[in-house]
Amino acid sequence: TNAMLRVLALVAAAVPAAAFTPSPIGGSCASRATRASGLTAVQGMSCKVVLVFGGTGGVGLETIYQSLNQGDTVRALVRTPSKVVVPLGSGGEAKAGQPLVSTELMVLQGDVTSAADVTKAFEAGDVDQVVIALGGKTKEVGEEMLTKGTTNIIAAMKATGVKKVSVVTSIGAGESYDQAPLVFKFAMWSILKAAFVDKNRQEALFLDPGAPGADLDYVIVRPGGLKTGPPTGQFKVLKAPEMAGSIARADVAAFCLSAPDDPAYLKKALCIS
């Protein structure tokens, strides 16, 4: 939730850094690779179809932007399409806030708690990977949005044969409670109590034995204190009882895009900072 991000920001260090402004490349994957280098392939180009839920939040916007710039086709289901803009972290100050437009981006208006809207997002074409970065103020999105929305996404993934999914929750969820900073625990006991009930139920959709998402190739991502900055390519997967530090939203997004391709991360809930 927004309140959660504000609390996490209190424990995150500021990161002054130069803006990173990649140049979006349009067209098919093969043609993008050719125009980018004059060759038939570009090292590091992904060329996946990525479907993002929660695409107007900090991590969601970073996911869309970075995915496009690594050669992917991106689809996003959002409630307010006008909020799909260039993120400050990866886009830099000069571009931040401008409408995010690409021939490889399809923005669909809808609500994740609507099974019909979620199904529509999958029916637009083959999907290689899903990123769930849902959030928002509980009083605006409701106390069960994460659970209901993720339930719909899992059902649609199974119906269309999509296996790979990254799910962004938070440090403090599940067994990572002891790894959360003390100031954040106070928020979990009070203003974020309902949000964490929902987050824990969301995670249980994958982690519990026999859960609907248990047979998917999932990675649950529990970031520490979120901050704004360009992607650094640096992150640490924490092991209990290591305490969470801070991490740029851009790095969380990069991790979400790559983690399901690493067998070491599959079917795990990972705390990163």
Side-chain angles (χ1 to χ4, degrees), residues 14-263:
V15 181
F20 171 66
T21 55
S23 300
I25 305 168
S28 69
C29 188
S31 65
R32 292 198 301 273
T34 301
R35 288 201 301 275
S37 68
L39 303 175
T40 57
V42 175
Q43 184 178 7
M45 289 199 77
S46 170
C47 299
K48 298 182 293 188
V49 177
V50 179
L51 177 54
V52 181
F53 295 92
T56 58
V59 174
L61 286 174
E62 284 286 352
T63 300
I64 294 173
Y65 189 80
Q66 291 184 41
S67 189
L68 288 170
N69 281 282
Q70 67 182 26
D72 296 331
T73 295
V74 182
R75 209 171 299 144
L77 179 71
V78 301
R79 289 183 298 165
T80 310
S82 62
K83 292 184 178 180
V84 179
V85 297
V86 176
L88 174 60
S90 290
E93 292 185 3
K95 294 183 179 180
Q98 296 178 12
L100 185 49
V101 179
S102 169
T103 57
E104 299 303 312
L105 173 62
M106 177 187 293
V107 178
L108 303 168
Q109 186 170 19
D111 190 323
V112 74
T113 62
S114 164
D117 288 350
V118 173
T119 298
K120 176 179 62 178
F122 281 88
E123 288 178 344
D126 292 341
V127 175
D128 296 306
Q129 179 183 348
V130 173
V131 177
I132 303 174
L134 298 169
K137 297 179 180 179
T138 301
K139 65 181 181 180
E140 295 178 357
V141 301
E143 295 186 356
E144 298 180 328
M145 182 272 292
L146 300 177
T147 306
K148 289 181 177 179
T150 303
T151 297
N152 289 336
I153 295 168
I154 291 172
M157 288 182 67
K158 298 176 81 168
T160 54
V162 181
K163 298 288 287 185
K164 294 181 180 181
V165 57
S166 295
V167 187
V168 183
T169 61
S170 174
I171 191 69
E175 76 282 0
S176 71
Y177 173 81
D178 290 335
Q179 294 174 265
L182 181 59
V183 65
F184 190 55
K185 289 179 181 176
F186 284 123
M188 290 173 62
W189 299 332
S190 53
I191 59 174
L192 299 180
K193 185 175 181 179
F196 268 87
V197 169
D198 200 14
K199 283 187 179 295
N200 288 330
R201 289 175 178 167
Q202 179 189 31
E203 290 195 354
L205 294 171
F206 300 92
L207 296 174
D208 284 359
D215 58 345
L216 297 176
D217 292 336
Y218 67 83
V219 180
I220 293 175
V221 183
R222 297 166 172 168
L226 294 169
K227 57 189 180 183
T228 299
T232 66
Q234 299 179 352
F235 63 86
K236 182 179 182 180
V237 177
L238 305 175
K239 295 182 179 180
E242 288 182 289
M243 297 294 291
S246 61
I247 185 169
R249 293 173 177 84
D251 286 324
V252 177
F255 183 78
C256 287
L257 288 169
S258 65
D261 294 323
D262 190 333

